[in-house]
């Protein structure tokens, strides 16, 4: 007798195999959901650190800068006398004046310069993965030097209380501006820690 042809059929999945595949799909979905939540959490955390860095860098840096400004020969010229503290009461008064003056400088020009010039430099450095402390220090020093040169050039023409200032005092002001840039960039780097967030910055993530 002639054999009938065999029919090849795809075996059906057993109920146990179907359950395993369903469990695998559920686990993959949970893993993807957890990854999305982690990415959103990391992005939110880095944005929060950026906000804190912008908010607290000038109030920390500028009282120190104002104290150095009070100790400079520029202050002696403008105030017609030395403001160097000589006893405990003078030291306390000096600290209070530095905090008050630093708060004023933090409002202007601190925050406007940080937002208008510091943040674009920060984004540019991060986009090229230049996120080390030394890089930010050098960038801050250069930016502070440029701002100081512009200020010295304008003040030499307009005046702004520096008409009788000597070359030494202008050089001190230039050095103070350079120090200010380095100090602000260091504090900003310490609060922001861009070295822990190495990724290209764009409008959607910073």
């Amino acid at each position: 007798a002639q054999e009938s042809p065999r029919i090849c059929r795809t075996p059906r999945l057993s109920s146990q195999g179907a359950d395993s595949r369903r469990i695998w799909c559920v686990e993959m979905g949970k893993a993807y959901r957890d990854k999305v939540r982690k990415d959103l959490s990391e992005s939110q955390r880095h944005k929060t650190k950026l906000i804190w860095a912008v908010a607290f860098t000038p109030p920390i840096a500028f009282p120190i800068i104002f104290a150095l400004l009070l100790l400079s020969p520029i202050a002696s010229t403008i105030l017609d006398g030395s403001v160097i503290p000589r006893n405990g009461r003078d030291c306390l008064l000096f600290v209070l004046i530095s905090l008050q003056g630093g708060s004023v400088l933090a409002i202007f020009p601190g925050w406007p310069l940080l937002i208008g010039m510091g943040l674009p430099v920060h984004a540019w450095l991060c986009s090229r993965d230049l996120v080390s402390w030394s890089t930010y220090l050098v960038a801050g020093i250069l930016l502070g030097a440029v701002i100081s040169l512009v200020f010295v050039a304008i003040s030499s023409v307009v005046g702004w209380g520096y008409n009788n200032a000597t070359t030494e005092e202008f050089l001190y002001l230039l050095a103070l501006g350079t120090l200010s840039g380095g100090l602000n960039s260091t504090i900003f780097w310490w609060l922001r820690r861009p070295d822990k967030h190495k990724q290209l910055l764009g409008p959607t993530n910073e």
Side-chain angles (χ1 to χ4, degrees):
Q2 189 177 6
E3 293 182 1
S4 59
R6 295 180 180 180
I7 301 175
C8 296
R9 295 180 179 178
T10 304
R12 295 182 179 180
L13 290 174
S14 64
S15 59
Q16 184 177 2
D19 291 341
S20 299
R21 187 168 183 175
R22 190 180 303 112
I23 293 173
W24 180 83
C25 292
V26 171
E27 292 297 328
M28 289 296 294
K30 289 182 178 179
Y32 178 76
R33 180 193 62 189
D34 293 341
K35 182 179 183 302
V36 171
R37 288 181 176 178
K38 182 179 179 181
D39 291 342
L40 290 176
S41 177
E42 284 292 316
S43 177
Q44 185 63 35
R45 185 171 67 89
H46 287 296
K47 288 180 180 179
T48 302
K49 290 178 67 176
L50 178 62
I51 293 174
W52 278 78
V54 172
F56 286 99
T57 295
I60 295 175
F62 277 96
I64 301 174
I65 297 168
F66 192 82
L68 295 176
L69 183 62
L70 288 178
L71 297 175
S72 70
I74 298 175
S76 300
T77 301
I78 297 176
L79 301 177
D80 194 20
S82 175
V83 294
I84 299 177
R86 304 185 183 279
N87 52 52
R89 183 178 179 181
D90 290 346
C91 289
L92 179 59
L93 183 61
F94 181 82
V95 171
L96 293 177
I97 293 176
S98 299
L99 290 174
Q100 184 179 8
S103 301
V104 175
L105 291 180
I107 297 174
F108 184 85
W111 275 307
L113 288 177
L114 176 58
I115 295 173
M117 302 184 70
L119 288 184
V121 173
H122 162 66
W124 184 83
L125 291 175
C126 287
S127 67
R128 284 154 180 79
D129 203 19
L130 302 173
V131 291
S132 65
W133 167 77
S134 58
T135 303
Y136 272 68
L137 176 63
V138 172
I141 289 175
L142 293 177
L143 186 60
V146 171
I147 295 174
S148 297
L149 287 174
V150 173
F151 179 79
V152 168
I154 295 176
S155 62
S156 63
V157 175
V158 179
W160 291 353
Y162 302 108
N163 291 329
N164 299 323
T166 63
T167 302
E168 179 184 356
E169 292 168 345
F170 276 120
L171 290 177
Y172 188 92
L173 182 63
L174 178 61
L176 187 63
T178 304
L179 176 63
S180 173
L183 181 61
N184 275 275
S185 63
T186 300
I187 295 174
F188 180 88
W189 182 91
W190 179 69
L191 293 174
R192 178 63 179 85
R193 289 311 300 268
D195 57 326
K196 295 184 178 181
H197 185 43
K198 292 184 178 181
Q199 66 179 26
L200 295 178
L201 298 182
T204 58
N205 48 13
E206 274 292 334

